[in-house]
Amino acid sequence: MKIGFIGLGNMGAPMAANLAKAAHDVVGYDMATVAVDGVTNAATAAEAAKGADVVITMLPNGEILRAVAAQVIPVMRKGAVLLDCSTVDVNSARAVAADAEAAGLLPLDAPVSGGIGGAAAGTLTFMVGGSDEAYQTALPLLETMGQKSVHCGPSGNGQAAKICNNMILGVTMIATCEAFALADKLGLDRQAMFDVVSTSSGYSWSMNAYCPAPGIGPKSPADNGYTPGFAAELMLKDLRLSQQAADASDADTPLGQAATELYRRFVEKEDGKGRDFSAMLPRFEKRGRG
Ligand code: NAD
């Protein structure tokens, strides 16, 4: 396929490289100067999008997505797919989709989980919103860039699934970390804590697959000095999107709200910026109740 790829950052560059490796014709554009193996550089976003079967965007936020979409939608050929893989607010995803549809395009919102490692290895998971026709057209590309995709319904539902998942992740990571810190204070050995919880009703992905305690459970960023992994500021971004969506839809999310506030303090006021989101454990370790 002929692919335009806009946003060749930490995630976009390896995703575009994997598409080029799979013998697609990939023309890329990024505001910054970047060179990606197998990808031809365009001078503008519109140039990358012109004549493409699928235009993929992998951008920082909804505002930038809206600006880029306004540049590429008018030049895309009718029937082409506009596949946004960024994590953005549900409203921006739906607004871009409506503009794309009005121009005769097939929009999809398809945020990912799996991080930079998953992008490089081609093992991302895509959560996809949009029509069946758009999904079926993009599926071979999703299968090249990832190992799993779930079609979650109409436009915006991919973003909805992503922020609901990550709200659960933020809350369970905090719960896991505060429970470890409590266990420490009660004199409970961390290995015993892991052995019990990981096989009891407190188990979760945060405990079982990404244990925040160094030297315990599977290898995780905790074993590497809390180098991300999944950075605390990216967790904060996703939690903020969850609370923005909760405000807009009048959903009561008290724990999502508390998690957002804790990660905000951690990133903006404490030492969380640039550390993995599981570094909440050393944060709790140092604190008392007051
Ligand atoms: P990044 O900052 O490394 O990459 C974004 C790229 O977009 C940059 O190279 C930037 O120069 C480019 N850009 C910005 N404005 C532009 C414009 N107007 N036109 C063209 N290019 C422009 O970010 P990333 O880590 O690659 O993340 C991209 C998206 O994926 C984000 O929405 C993020 O939330 C999401 N995401 C990231 C991860 C992760 O682990 N990094 C995991 C899942 C989802």
Side-chain angles (χ1 to χ4, degrees), residues 8 13 32-39 41:
L8 300 167
T33 316
V34 281
V36 180
D37 258 0
V39 175
N41 279 338

Side-chain angles (χ1 to χ4, degrees), residues 32-87:
T33 316
V34 281
V36 180
D37 258 0
V39 175
T40 312
N41 279 338
T44 63
E47 189 185 309
K50 219 171 190 166
D53 302 307
V54 179
V55 172
I56 303 177
T57 47
M58 194 52 168
L59 297 162
N61 59 48
E63 200 181 322
I64 294 173
L65 170 67
R66 286 178 193 240
V68 168
Q71 294 163 35
V72 300
I73 288 173
V75 303
M76 284 175 66
R77 70 158 180 76
K78 289 218 180 331
V81 173
L82 179 57
L83 171 62
D84 177 45
C85 298
S86 330
T87 303

Side-chain angles (χ1 to χ4, degrees), residues 13-238:
M15 290 163 72
N18 282 337
L19 292 171
K21 226 184 285 165
H24 294 290
D25 172 9
V26 188
V27 180
Y29 173 72
D30 195 289
M31 259 170 55
T33 316
V34 281
V36 180
D37 258 0
V39 175
T40 312
N41 279 338
T44 63
E47 189 185 309
K50 219 171 190 166
D53 302 307
V54 179
V55 172
I56 303 177
T57 47
M58 194 52 168
L59 297 162
N61 59 48
E63 200 181 322
I64 294 173
L65 170 67
R66 286 178 193 240
V68 168
Q71 294 163 35
V72 300
I73 288 173
V75 303
M76 284 175 66
R77 70 158 180 76
K78 289 218 180 331
V81 173
L82 179 57
L83 171 62
D84 177 45
C85 298
S86 330
T87 303
V88 304
D89 57 288
V90 176
N91 283 346
S92 291
R94 291 191 171 144
V96 166
D99 289 349
E101 255 163 26
L105 305 174
L106 298 172
L108 288 173
D109 54 291
V112 304
S113 77
I116 298 165
T123 56
L124 294 169
T125 295
F126 290 89
M127 296 143 254
V128 192
S131 68
D132 274 338
E133 188 188 357
Y135 180 64
Q136 291 307 331
T137 310
L139 197 51
L141 304 184
L142 300 178
E143 285 172 346
T144 298
M145 297 185 286
Q147 65 185 3
K148 186 175 169 66
S149 67
V150 180
H151 189 194
C152 301
S155 291
N157 282 24
Q159 298 295 350
K162 164 92 186 174
I163 57 174
C164 289
N165 180 73
N166 280 20
M167 188 173 80
I168 294 172
L169 176 61
V171 168
T172 55
M173 181 53 82
I174 290 170
T176 304
C177 291
E178 68 181 30
F180 262 121
L182 171 61
D184 288 348
K185 294 204 173 179
L186 297 176
L188 174 61
D189 176 66
R190 284 187 170 179
Q191 185 65 52
M193 167 82 174
F194 176 82
D195 290 346
V196 171
V197 175
S198 66
T199 54
S200 301
S201 45
Y203 84 89
S204 68
W205 186 87
S206 296
M207 176 61 89
N208 291 40
Y210 205 93
C211 183
I216 308 287
K219 267 237 157 311
S220 71
D223 300 309
N224 190 25
Y226 296 100
T227 302
F230 185 45
E233 56 268 32
L234 289 178
M235 173 48 83
L236 176 60
K237 172 189 171 179
D238 293 355

